[in-house]
Amino acid sequence: MSTDTELKRISLIVTTLNEEENLGRCLESARGVGEVIVVDSMSTDTTLRIAGEYGARVFTREFVSNADQKNWALEKATLEWILILDADEYLSARLREEIAEAIMSARVNGFWIYRRNEFLGKTIRHCGWDRDRVLRLFRRGRGRYPERAVHERLDLEGEAGRLRERLEHIPYRDLEDYMDRLKSYSRKGALELRRNGRRWFPGLVVRPCARFLRMYLLQLGFLDGRAGLMLCYLAAVSVFFKYAWLKELSRGSPEESR
């Protein structure tokens, strides 16, 4: 089997917004794929220049949602298989080889890929992050993203297999980056809860504590040391703010329209 030959059957899709710190590592790890498609949401840094240096087909369009952006990008892909990566993810050499082997003899329409996540410079092996997986490799025309405010998930026609090697993921540059995203994620999460008919009480009181206890004790987050403690605490804070936003939405806050 030639890894390079099989990778030529893949269209790589990456959606971006100001990802100059991550994009080069992501695209470098996927060298050899048949085509690279970058859909950018009006970046103001050097993201577009970096994408061009890697020979990507670059498109710029206004951001509506992650699901909308990815679905639009899927229409631009031309090859047999689609691989979707976030800019803060990258392939190991062993995962590249496994992907090539998987699509060569695939009898399924897609593959789940587990992720190895890093937080504050430490690989997180517990906290529930050890079971983190994404459906990102699939046949063109067999997958699409239903609209969601946050945490979009692919709907796949047919069955999916599972790869052994893990996708490397560094979701936050540092603590400041995490806090910057917390507000946006919690607000979008609140909108999703409201669409699903959820109420803010008793979730505002119960769920933050439950999230911390689940991640730190039941999912053994304490074994990840200080990084695990910080991650579990911040996850609980995120849940609190999500339900706090939901409470505001239930009162007809102007934030509802944002």
Side-chain angles (χ1 to χ4, degrees):
M1 179 200 71
S2 169
T3 297
D4 291 341
T5 299
E6 295 303 320
L7 291 178
K8 292 295 184 184
R9 300 165 61 192
I10 295 176
S11 295
L12 171 67
I13 292 174
V14 185
T15 57
T16 59
L17 171 62
N18 293 334
E19 290 287 358
E20 64 181 5
E21 293 187 25
N22 296 318
L23 185 60
R25 179 184 59 208
C26 174
L27 298 183
E28 181 67 30
S29 77
R31 274 194 185 275
V33 297
E35 68 176 349
V36 178
I37 299 169
V38 171
V39 181
D40 184 74
S41 304
M42 316 296 180
S43 289
T44 56
D45 62 4
T46 61
T47 294
L48 297 181
R49 178 177 63 79
I50 294 169
E53 290 173 353
Y54 281 89
R57 296 168 57 203
V58 180
F59 302 91
T60 300
R61 70 188 297 262
E62 185 176 353
F63 181 84
V64 176
S65 68
N66 287 320
D68 176 76
Q69 204 79 331
K70 287 182 170 66
N71 285 334
W72 191 89
L74 288 175
E75 300 299 322
K76 303 300 180 182
T78 64
L79 301 180
E80 180 183 357
W81 287 87
I82 305 289
L83 174 63
I84 294 183
L85 295 179
D86 291 338
D88 57 14
E89 299 169 336
Y90 62 99
L91 307 175
S92 67
R94 293 175 64 177
L95 179 55
R96 280 167 50 91
E97 293 175 1
E98 186 179 9
I99 286 173
E101 180 180 351
I103 65 174
M104 179 180 65
S105 56
R107 296 183 179 180
V108 294
N109 286 337
F111 292 92
W112 289 97
I113 309 176
Y114 282 89
R115 293 195 290 194
R116 181 181 292 107
N117 296 284
E118 183 178 306
F119 183 69
L120 301 184
K122 178 181 174 59
T123 297
I124 300 298
R125 304 187 184 281
H126 305 91
C127 303
W129 279 24
D130 52 309
R131 297 195 293 272
D132 178 27
R133 66 176 189 171
V134 287
L135 186 54
R136 297 284 190 75
L137 178 64
F138 55 97
R139 296 185 192 272
R140 182 165 62 94
R142 298 300 180 91
R144 195 164 182 83
Y145 289 88
E147 186 58 48
R148 287 172 59 101
V150 66
H151 301 314
E152 71 284 359
R153 297 175 183 174
L154 183 80
D155 269 0
L156 180 72
E157 297 177 14
E159 297 183 2
R162 182 179 65 182
L163 301 185
R164 299 182 303 275
E165 298 296 328
R166 289 183 178 255
L167 177 64
E168 305 294 337
H169 185 213
I170 307 176
Y172 308 105
R173 292 188 299 274
D174 49 32
L175 187 58
E176 181 179 6
D177 185 32
Y178 185 102
M179 299 306 294
D180 287 343
R181 299 192 199 192
L182 185 150
K183 182 176 180 180
S184 174
Y185 287 165
S186 60
R187 180 184 296 159
K188 291 177 181 177
L191 290 170
E192 193 68 32
L193 288 175
R194 191 173 194 217
R195 291 192 189 105
N196 293 332
R198 301 286 290 276
R199 298 180 180 275
W200 68 269
F201 186 83
L204 181 62
V205 178
V206 174
R207 289 190 176 273
C209 293
R211 172 64 62 85
F212 179 84
L213 292 174
R214 185 185 76 196
M215 292 179 66
Y216 194 68
L217 296 179
L218 297 180
Q219 296 176 330
L220 306 180
F222 62 89
L223 294 178
D224 284 311
R226 287 181 295 178
L229 175 61
M230 182 68 74
L231 176 61
C232 296
Y233 173 75
L234 290 173
V237 170
S238 298
V239 173
F240 172 83
F241 277 105
K242 180 169 66 174
Y243 278 89
W245 280 116
L246 182 61
K247 183 176 184 293
E248 289 299 301
L249 291 174
S250 70
R251 295 167 55 184
S253 166
E255 295 291 342
E256 179 180 3
S257 61
R258 296 187 183 181

